Amino acid sequence: MRSSILLVPLLLAQALWLLAPGLLAGLLLAGRDRIPAHLVVPVAGLVGCVSGYAVLWAFFGAHRLGNVAVAGFAAAALVSAAWIGVRPTLRAALLRLDVAAPLGLMLLLTLGYSAITFSCTAGPGAGSVNAFCHLNGFTGDNILPQIFADNIHHGDPRTVTWDWQGSDRPPLQSGVQLLQAPLTESASWRIISYEVLTVLLQAMWLPALWGLFRALKVSTHTFAVVAAGCACTGLFFFNSVFTWPKLLPAALVVLTCGVWFFDRREPRPNQPNHWSWAIGGLAAGAAMVAHSGVVFTLVPIVVALLLPGTGRRGHRSASPRSPRW
């Protein structure tokens, strides 16, 4: 395992790899007033998750096809980061409070949780994620997505693990691991990169909560109190570092609710914004393949949408002359 001294550059590299294409897409949509700025970071996470799921199926098709998909997404991440960097309007948009704050908080939370986790091992060395003190002695559910991704990458997706077929467990997190296969499937980097990446995925609850609170017109002070209260509890810490995906699907469901009920913008009266419906639908689908238990939340959401008048509650475009980025 690589030294945890490299944690900061590793986190930044993995975050850019996962989020850059979605950040570009979210900034462009926000510039055209299709989504509010506070949904840019949640949308970036959604794009990364959906791309990971697509890469998983590419590896199912053929190992070479999977490698091509991984290389293609990595190239897209580099191009997206460069595009944001060279366009002044995009750089300015990235530094807006509604984008920079949730993005920075998510990275800081991931860094803090990961540093605490890597600070102590139960033995002389860490041969797996569960050798770290805070994860030692529990069930291996947190590494099941890693094992499934390893099996797919090695061409043995039907391999049984502890009486479980890989297909018995939700595949989204495995797909995101395969999205960064050059790191997560490397003998030297696989332990630390898997933990950092999956903690980052669980930390998506922070930008999702930011987006929901902004949509509800809740003050940033109240958000800070609620977010700090959540982040400092054992519930959020353990479910972030013990990376069986629970907070990730929760974040995706919060995004679904936000975009369908509070931030669905209509370009003209009674004219639906297809971007809002598409983002909400993708988030709901991604949540289902992240953890199917969210069905008990998604069913009431769909019922609420079908109630008379609920599905027509949208927001008019706030600025008809929004700058084109």
Side-chain angles (χ1 to χ4, degrees), residues 272-292:
N273 181 352
H274 299 297
W275 282 108
S276 296
W277 287 110
I279 290 169
L282 279 174
M288 280 295 297
V289 292
H291 197 298
S292 57

Side-chain angles (χ1 to χ4, degrees), residues 184-203:
T184 56
E185 295 298 330
S186 163
S188 300
W189 291 99
R190 66 185 308 274
I191 296 173
I192 187 173
S193 64
Y194 173 75
E195 182 69 9
V196 170
L197 177 61
T198 51
V199 171
L200 180 64
L201 289 175
Q202 311 315 313

Side-chain angles (χ1 to χ4, degrees), residues 114-227:
S114 299
I116 293 171
T117 302
F118 297 145
S119 66
C120 174
T121 59
S128 73
V129 167
N130 286 343
F132 297 110
C133 294
H134 301 298
L135 303 176
N136 187 254
F138 296 101
T139 63
D141 285 28
N142 59 317
I143 61 173
L144 279 174
Q146 183 182 34
I147 294 172
F148 184 40
D150 291 344
N151 292 339
I152 294 173
H153 190 262
H154 299 152
D156 300 311
R158 294 181 180 273
T159 301
V160 175
T161 304
W162 309 328
D163 298 327
W164 291 96
Q165 291 277 2
S167 57
D168 294 333
R169 296 299 182 114
L172 184 66
Q173 189 164 292
S174 300
V176 178
Q177 177 187 340
L178 290 170
L179 189 66
Q180 300 188 1
L183 279 175
T184 56
E185 295 298 330
S186 163
S188 300
W189 291 99
R190 66 185 308 274
I191 296 173
I192 187 173
S193 64
Y194 173 75
E195 182 69 9
V196 170
L197 177 61
T198 51
V199 171
L200 180 64
L201 289 175
Q202 311 315 313
M204 281 174 55
W205 68 265
L206 250 178
L209 185 67
W210 173 279
L212 182 63
F213 274 34
R214 296 292 276 183
L216 294 174
K217 311 300 181 185
V218 178
S219 69
T220 53
H221 177 267
T222 301
F223 167 82
V225 172
V226 173

Side-chain angles (χ1 to χ4, degrees), residues 29-52:
L29 286 173
R32 288 161 174 76
D33 203 37
R34 295 296 182 264
I35 63 172
H38 55 253
L39 289 183
V40 168
V41 179
V43 165
L46 173 63
V47 170
C49 288
V50 172
S51 300

